[in-house]
Amino acid sequence: MVRQRWANRTIFLLAAVGSAVGLGNLWRFPYLAGKYGGGAFLIPYLIALVFVGVPLLMLEFAIGQKMQQGVIGAYKQLHPSFGGLGIVALLSSFIIISYYAVVMAWSWLYLLASLGVEWSNNPEAYFFENVLQRSAGVNILGGINWSIFLSLLIIWIAIYFCVWKGTESVGKVVSYTVPLPVILLLILLLRSVTLPGFLSGWEMYLRPVWSALLDPEVWTAAFSQIFYTLSLAFGIMVAYASYKNSDDDIAKDVWVTALLDSGTSLFAGFVVFAVLGYMAWQTNTPLVDLAASGPGLAFVVFPKALSLMPFSGLFSLLFFLMLLSLGIDSAFSMVAALNTVILDQQKHLRVAQIAMMVCLAGFIAGIIYTTRAGIYFLDIVDHFVTSYNLLLVGICQSILVGWVYGAEKLRRYINQVSDWQVGKWWNLAIKYVNPLVLAVLLTTQFSKDISIPYQGYPTWALGIGWSVVIVPLLLFLFLLLTSSHR
Ligand code: PHE
């Protein structure tokens, strides 16, 4: 069997950028910036990008391309005992995709309600009561919310048709779904800078609150955002790079992907804050309250702002179309990472069959989030996966390449195929900076979660969150130890 290939380099870059640019750029980044010191947040963010994000992305592109396999096979080639690390990465992918698709399902419901701007009377009640029909607490499941269930099914069918022919179908889809949201974002930017109050929004976005830099939480947030936004430690970038030829350029692709992704985040920040500035002006609400409203930004604050604009129906439609087109290529990249690994092992199966199984499993795993307590579970699982699993995989991956396989060896390969040469700083980043910085972040987060139960959820519910971290970790240790005794 010949390995699938990307049609050309641009298609690969589009796919990588498509995975990186997602909901994380549009709502996660702006709300973090709003919450953690405005312009000052950019400092830890850019430091994280250059010192951790870029070196790790380079690592993932390099091992995928060199080993020509998905994440399990690639790690195994680095060292036979490390296949389990790939499993942990894929489990994180699978856990995230199962709720990421649910967030897309909400967006789909909003898209349908856009033209009538159905939330205009009370956006908050619309989100929690109409759309989510949220129960009173995590211990009341409240049964399945069928409209979310159905839209989740629609989203999964869409994901299936994006990946069912592997690189061929992905390549076609990304040619549209990557440029489209950028164009929509541009339209929204043009719209928002003609609204009164937009400048005060920008001021809040860019004005640095320097004291924020003293807060360790700000640093943790910046580093985990870089992981999340670059889709690192999920096995995605390894899988995508494994469909390149082994002598293709690496260094340039890394910088292009990283800069386009962060550039989109910064750009999205301008749009979001301009609209928030307008809304603060219209409703006489302090801007700080709007910007720090967390994940509700995309489904409560923003819809409200849209409903205040002239031609609100049209702009709401564009906004949710943008959200969906942003999300879809991130969503299917996780499915593609899983498909790649299964295909590596089961060469007799067709991509379409594997994709069907993975999508079905993802849909089933997502059903818990379609219950009326779904948003609580989503919040808990999201917190634990993004705070721990990603950092853990990041650390192990750096140790594996830096100390077990040899950073210098991989760097030589990168330089052999790349126009832009990578200096020795990369070895230092992989061997020392990454594991150390990530370990510090992990410990800070851990001591915080131990002393204050996350969001005050009951212990059994947080237990689900912890098991999402601990089960894959134990599995990894088990596989590591048993394979080295062989
Ligand atoms: N990078 C995506 C974003 O910013 C999120 C994502 C996470 C995608 C994990 C794939 C895997 O939204």
Side-chain angles (χ1 to χ4, degrees), residues 124-198:
E124 191 151 1
Y126 185 81
F127 181 53
F128 291 113
E129 287 160 29
N130 291 36
V131 176
L132 299 182
Q133 300 170 2
R134 184 175 64 168
S135 70
V138 66
N139 41 1
I140 306 169
L141 268 190
I144 286 180
N145 175 334
W146 291 105
S147 54
I148 297 185
F149 184 91
L150 271 184
S151 17
L152 184 63
L153 187 64
I154 293 173
I155 295 293
W156 273 109
I157 293 174
I159 294 178
Y160 173 74
F161 282 108
C162 294
V163 292
W164 75 310
K165 286 193 179 164
T167 49
E168 190 189 328
S169 51
V170 166
K172 280 193 192 123
V173 175
V174 292
S175 320
Y176 299 96
T177 52
V178 177
L180 179 70
V182 179
I183 295 169
L184 294 174
L185 209 54
L186 207 64
I187 297 176
L188 286 170
L189 181 73
L190 293 178
R191 167 74 270 211
S192 56
V193 296
T194 54
L195 294 168
F198 84 93

Side-chain angles (χ1 to χ4, degrees), residues 326-341:
L326 270 179
I328 189 92
D329 19 43
S330 301
F332 66 66
S333 70
M334 296 182 241
V335 175
L338 284 152
N339 291 351
T340 302
V341 167

Side-chain angles (χ1 to χ4, degrees), residues 5 75 79 238 267 274-275 295:
R5 293 285 165 216
Y75 287 158
H79 188 282
V238 177
F267 179 39
V275 174

Side-chain angles (χ1 to χ4, degrees), residues 70-241:
V71 71
I72 297 183
Y75 287 158
K76 263 197 192 151
Q77 288 192 52
L78 293 172
H79 188 282
S81 302
F82 275 78
L85 186 59
I87 301 184
V88 182
L90 291 174
L91 277 176
S92 312
S93 258
F94 184 74
I95 293 165
I96 293 190
I97 178 68
S98 65
Y99 69 77
Y100 202 87
V102 177
V103 178
M104 291 183 65
W106 303 343
S107 314
W108 172 253
L109 290 175
Y110 268 85
L111 183 78
L112 298 181
S114 282
L115 281 179
V117 204
E118 285 168 27
W119 53 82
S120 57
N121 285 334
N122 187 345
E124 191 151 1
Y126 185 81
F127 181 53
F128 291 113
E129 287 160 29
N130 291 36
V131 176
L132 299 182
Q133 300 170 2
R134 184 175 64 168
S135 70
V138 66
N139 41 1
I140 306 169
L141 268 190
I144 286 180
N145 175 334
W146 291 105
S147 54
I148 297 185
F149 184 91
L150 271 184
S151 17
L152 184 63
L153 187 64
I154 293 173
I155 295 293
W156 273 109
I157 293 174
I159 294 178
Y160 173 74
F161 282 108
C162 294
V163 292
W164 75 310
K165 286 193 179 164
T167 49
E168 190 189 328
S169 51
V170 166
K172 280 193 192 123
V173 175
V174 292
S175 320
Y176 299 96
T177 52
V178 177
L180 179 70
V182 179
I183 295 169
L184 294 174
L185 209 54
L186 207 64
I187 297 176
L188 286 170
L189 181 73
L190 293 178
R191 167 74 270 211
S192 56
V193 296
T194 54
L195 294 168
F198 84 93
L199 266 179
S200 60
W202 282 5
E203 202 195 317
M204 147 124 210
Y205 176 38
L206 298 176
R207 197 196 47 226
V209 182
W210 296 114
S211 58
L213 294 182
L214 298 175
D215 181 358
E217 196 179 318
V218 175
W219 290 83
T220 329
F223 278 83
S224 17
Q225 172 63 8
I226 283 296
F227 263 82
Y228 191 82
T229 193
L230 288 178
S231 308
L232 292 172
F234 291 101
I236 295 173
M237 295 308 192
V238 177
Y240 274 3

Side-chain angles (χ1 to χ4, degrees), residues 199 259 411 418 443:
L199 266 179
L259 294 179
R411 189 179 73 99
S418 302
T443 337

